[in-house]
Amino acid sequence: MNNEHTDDKPTDPSHRRPDGVSDTTVRALGALSEALETVERARGSLYAFHQLTGGADLKLDEALEQLRAAGHDAQADLLEREIVGRNVIPGHWTFQIIEAYNTHYYQPFTDIEARIRRELLDGRRHVYEAEMKETRRTHGRPGHTPGP
């Protein structure tokens, strides 16, 4: 019989709760992990915003060229003067927003999340999820093994 189908060993030690850690603590760290995942998604959205806005600004070059080719120099001049290279919020291009977010929110969040995991779970990640997997999988079934 294939070992993949019969391997019922629980989750690897790097995802097991340390001795003496309560269910409430594991749930709290699971919620913290989920919050961090949401922050990661928000950060990704900032990068998407950065790239989309930058791409739109570069696309304006084509609009300027076509406006001028059509004889609309005044409108092209207005667009170039007022919009091309404009700050998206006062004093900031999108890269500066990302830098500020990373410095003032993202990095402190990730640092504190890691510190709390070290203090309460010996630094282990995804203990809540690993325990959920262990309770939800069908032991002994293909595709339900505890690890890779």
Side-chain angles (χ1 to χ4, degrees), residues 59-124:
K59 187 74 171 171
L60 290 174
D61 294 343
E62 182 181 327
L64 291 169
E65 181 182 312
Q66 291 178 12
L67 283 168
R68 288 197 170 98
H72 305 295
D73 290 336
Q75 289 81 6
D77 290 345
L78 175 66
L79 182 62
E80 186 171 37
R81 181 178 63 249
E82 296 297 327
I83 303 301
V84 173
R86 184 180 184 93
N87 291 329
V88 295
I89 61 173
H92 294 81
W93 269 24
T94 56
F95 76 90
Q96 292 166 308
I97 295 169
I98 290 171
E99 288 177 354
Y101 181 83
N102 284 342
T103 299
H104 296 286
Y105 189 76
Y106 176 76
Q107 194 60 56
F109 195 119
T110 58
D111 291 347
I112 289 171
E113 184 273 343
R115 176 182 171 177
I116 291 171
R117 263 189 308 99
R118 278 192 312 273
E119 291 173 357
L120 300 179
L121 292 177
D122 294 337
R124 296 173 189 176

Side-chain angles (χ1 to χ4, degrees), residues 1 3 16 21 27 34-35 37 39 60 63 88 117 130:
M1 190 172 265
N3 283 342
R16 280 191 217 131
V21 174
R27 280 193 305 273
E34 185 175 7
E37 291 167 6
V39 167
L60 290 174
V88 295
R117 263 189 308 99

Side-chain angles (χ1 to χ4, degrees), residues 14-79:
S14 68
H15 291 110
R16 280 191 217 131
R17 77 170 68 187
D19 291 338
V21 174
S22 71
D23 289 346
T24 304
T25 298
V26 169
R27 280 193 305 273
L29 274 285
L32 178 57
S33 176
E34 185 175 7
L36 177 57
E37 291 167 6
T38 302
V39 167
E40 293 286 3
R41 290 178 59 204
R43 186 169 179 244
S45 294
L46 275 179
Y47 277 95
F49 167 71
H50 164 63
Q51 291 175 347
L52 289 167
T53 302
D57 189 70
L58 293 174
K59 187 74 171 171
L60 290 174
D61 294 343
E62 182 181 327
L64 291 169
E65 181 182 312
Q66 291 178 12
L67 283 168
R68 288 197 170 98
H72 305 295
D73 290 336
Q75 289 81 6
D77 290 345
L78 175 66
L79 182 62

